[in-house]
Amino acid sequence: FFRSHTMFRTARLGIGLALGCAGSSYCGQRFMFAKEQSPDAFSSKEFKSFKLLESHSISSDTSLFRFELPAETPQMGLPTASCIVTRFKQDDGSYVIRPYTPTTLNDTKGHFDLVVKKYPGAKMGTHIFNLKPGDTLDVKGPIVKKRYETNQYRHIGMVAGGTGITPMYQIIQEILKNPDDKTKIDLIFGNKSEADILLKKELDALAKKHSNFNVHYACDSAGWLWPCETGGVS
């Protein structure tokens, strides 16, 4: 989500973006699917199955899962900023449905990535973590939360925690890949510890390459060599 802060002028692109489309949060019945205009991989009308290619751990309780896009529709059809809905069927016949924000942009060909945290007792997170390469996951979408336009805002402030980074990362990439977009971005990213900071390597690389992007880390607890802020983000 985007929150106003006294250190910079902030654009509000909708608090529900991160709260509703990151981690294991649930959007309830407030899904607004994008209209289909091209033969993209995702469908707003029906769930489609996508094969898991690989997965790897990026923190003690979070992994990145890479799913294959079919050759005939190599593009997701995912405008920025939006998320997807995942589904699986339980033994009693009922469905578990949860939203996630892919960390890959729409112009990524051949695959899409989900960063998933495994919370204790979380049904969808447990299901995804139990998937093996070759297994499939049902996906429907996209759910468009706020369609970003180039240079729509002069300066954007972002506040994220844990897997709430995924919708932020989607927008950050969208802005920074376009040399004509002059939007400035400041991200405050809170985590439990330095080891729990998701996508840190990618965020640091973007901050080093782009002068209009700054990331500020904060951890609940950290060692004495930790160079950034310590404490919670409120």
Side-chain angles (χ1 to χ4, degrees):
F1 57 93
F2 296 75
R3 295 180 57 181
S4 56
H5 195 277
T6 56
M7 67 182 289
F8 40 71
R9 292 182 180 178
T10 302
R12 290 178 177 268
L13 290 194
I15 291 176
L17 178 63
L19 294 179
C21 297
S24 60
S25 301
Y26 182 42
C27 287
Q29 299 302 317
R30 298 182 179 180
F31 295 153
M32 294 186 297
F33 294 99
K35 294 181 180 180
E36 293 189 44
Q37 298 178 340
S38 60
D40 295 316
F42 296 153
S43 171
S44 62
K45 297 180 179 179
E46 61 181 349
F47 281 94
K48 293 185 176 181
S49 296
F50 295 89
K51 184 171 65 176
L52 178 67
L53 294 174
E54 59 178 324
S55 65
H56 64 268
S57 175
I58 58 176
S59 79
S60 60
D61 57 5
T62 304
S63 292
L64 183 147
F65 296 84
R66 176 159 294 179
F67 293 89
E68 183 180 38
L69 294 174
E72 63 273 16
T73 52
Q75 187 167 283
M76 290 183 289
L78 188 79
T80 303
S82 57
C83 60
I84 58 174
V85 177
T86 61
R87 180 187 73 171
F88 81 92
K89 191 174 186 179
Q90 301 186 97
D91 292 339
D92 63 3
S94 63
Y95 286 98
V96 174
I97 300 175
R98 294 292 185 271
Y100 289 94
T101 302
T103 55
T104 39
L105 295 180
N106 193 50
D107 55 7
T108 302
K109 299 295 190 292
H111 72 272
F112 69 94
D113 296 342
L114 297 181
V115 173
V116 181
K117 182 173 182 177
K118 187 177 181 181
Y119 293 93
K123 293 181 179 180
M124 181 58 74
T126 300
H127 173 75
I128 294 177
F129 267 77
N130 286 337
L131 294 177
K132 301 293 187 295
D135 293 341
T136 61
L137 180 68
D138 290 348
V139 171
K140 186 179 182 181
I143 304 169
V144 180
K145 305 301 293 185
K146 171 68 177 181
R147 194 179 293 270
Y148 177 78
E149 297 177 5
T150 301
N151 293 311
Q152 186 174 8
Y153 304 101
R154 181 179 65 84
H155 196 165
I156 293 177
M158 301 178 172
V159 181
T163 52
I165 190 60
T166 56
M168 307 303 180
Y169 186 58
Q170 184 187 96
I171 297 171
I172 290 167
Q173 292 181 95
E174 182 71 23
I175 292 172
L176 298 182
K177 77 172 186 178
N178 183 359
D180 294 326
D181 198 327
K182 307 303 182 183
T183 304
K184 295 178 63 178
I185 311 167
D186 276 274
L187 167 66
I188 299 174
F189 188 19
N191 286 273
K192 292 183 296 183
S193 68
E194 185 177 3
D196 293 309
I197 300 176
L198 306 178
L199 302 172
K200 187 176 187 300
K201 181 177 69 174
E202 291 82 356
L203 292 170
D204 288 345
L206 289 173
K208 184 177 181 180
K209 183 177 180 181
H210 300 276
S211 60
N212 57 326
F213 173 54
N214 296 297
V215 56
H216 314 273
Y217 298 109
C219 291
D220 293 345
S221 60
W224 66 278
L225 291 176
W226 171 242
C228 302
E229 300 294 331
T230 302
V233 177
S234 62

